[in-house]
Amino acid sequence: MRKPLIAANWKMYKTPAESTAFLTSFYPLVKSNQTTEIVLCPPMTSLQALTDAARGKSVFIGAQTMHWLNEGAYTGETSPSMLTAIGATHVLVGHSERRQYFNETDTTVNLKLKSALAHGLTPIVCVGEHLNERETNLTADVLNLQVSVALEGIDPATLGPLVIAYEPVWAIGTGRTATPEIAEAAHKIIRAKIAAIAGAEVAAATRILYGGSVKPDNASALCGLEDIDGALVGGASLDPVSFSQIVINATKA
Ligand code: PGA
């Protein structure tokens, strides 16, 4: 009942020409896949080129961040209506690199989540513990806090599009993937918290992705688990063949 979602987070990689060349190579490899929602999140400067190139194809285009306001004196920022105006449909919110290097907090995640929902964007809200938090048994506390502040003041009836990505910070870009057991346990914590805040029905319908060193050879073990509804992929999404294999292996799971 939850449609699998596999998203590529290209971070600060790929020019517009490189982005459209990726789609040209990638699309034929996944075209026959009707079961998975595929999302590419390029840098802002590639969004327009990719939304144009993806028109008529079953691939969605998302931004890696946005401001929560619609316009204003916020140098360097991009607003939700600017994203929808060029055909972006998804947006990452609160990626750990945004939290670590650009001062994003649970409070700004909450503002961005409200704004994305209000503008009809599908938000992919990233949560996850640091290594020291896992080692001191704080994982559940961290996830519960991140999820509860993110959802604060939001009408559960509006949460249909919500996607959460569980990305343990120690697994991002490190080649160190969470074991399926660790990931599944964290996903269960997150789903239980959503149930406590927004009700069992919303929790059962919310897609929770795993992210952190997902590769073609571990995608199926992770995505085959009951509470894992797809993946958010960084490094391995930069190559069209590798990313297509992740889509295919995750879907078979
Ligand atoms: P990674 O990145 O797949 O390179 O670990 C995941 C992410 O940052 O979303």
Side-chain angles (χ1 to χ4, degrees):
M1 127 205 200
R2 296 189 295 263
K3 189 179 171 82
L5 192 164
I6 308 286
N9 173 13
W10 286 351
K11 309 192 180 188
M12 202 168 68
Y13 293 97
K14 295 192 190 294
T15 63
E18 289 165 346
S19 300
T20 53
F22 174 100
L23 188 62
T24 304
S25 311
F26 171 72
Y27 191 60
L29 306 175
V30 297
K31 202 175 163 181
S32 61
N33 184 313
Q34 296 300 319
T35 42
T36 309
E37 187 171 318
I38 301 169
V39 185
L40 304 178
C41 301
M44 290 294 182
T45 48
S46 290
L47 276 175
Q48 178 80 70
L50 266 189
T51 55
D52 288 345
R55 202 158 294 131
K57 299 184 170 72
S58 50
V59 171
F60 295 91
I61 308 303
Q64 295 173 15
T65 185
M66 64 171 200
H67 201 283
W68 57 89
L69 294 174
N70 231 1
E71 55 186 12
Y74 299 102
T75 303
E77 290 292 322
T78 308
S79 83
S81 54
M82 292 168 188
L83 297 179
T84 55
I86 60 166
T89 50
H90 294 63
V91 63
L92 304 183
V93 176
H95 187 279
S96 66
E97 286 152 15
R98 302 284 325 163
R99 294 176 189 254
Q100 186 175 350
Y101 305 124
F102 303 100
N103 301 320
E104 296 210 12
T105 63
D106 292 338
T107 305
T108 61
V109 166
N110 175 249
L111 292 167
K112 290 180 181 200
L113 173 55
K114 286 176 179 158
S115 175
L117 292 169
H119 286 88
L121 287 158
T122 297
I124 303 176
V125 175
C126 304
V127 298
E129 80 287 359
H130 287 264
L131 185 59
N132 64 323
E133 293 165 335
R134 170 155 294 274
E135 287 174 344
T136 49
N137 286 325
L138 289 173
T139 300
D141 291 350
V142 169
L143 296 178
N144 283 327
L145 183 68
Q146 288 177 336
V147 171
S148 55
V149 179
L151 298 186
E152 218 163 80
I154 301 181
D155 178 359
T158 66
L159 286 174
L162 173 68
V163 179
I164 303 268
Y166 168 60
E167 298 208 304
V169 179
W170 47 269
I172 295 178
T174 57
R176 195 178 157 190
T177 320
T179 62
E181 294 70 29
I182 286 179
E184 175 69 7
H187 283 226
K188 280 198 188 306
I189 291 168
I190 293 167
R191 204 176 296 287
K193 192 65 193 174
I194 298 171
I197 297 169
E201 213 173 299
V202 171
T206 300
R207 290 175 294 176
I208 306 178
L209 316 181
Y210 169 78
S213 298
V214 175
K215 308 281 180 237
D217 61 359
N218 61 25
S220 115
L222 287 159
C223 294
L225 294 166
E226 189 191 334
D227 281 290
I228 302 188
D229 306 309
L232 178 55
V233 188
S237 74
L238 292 168
D239 174 72
V241 173
S242 144
F243 191 52
S244 73
Q245 284 166 352
I246 291 175
V247 171
I248 291 161
N249 293 352
T251 307
K252 269 196 272 165

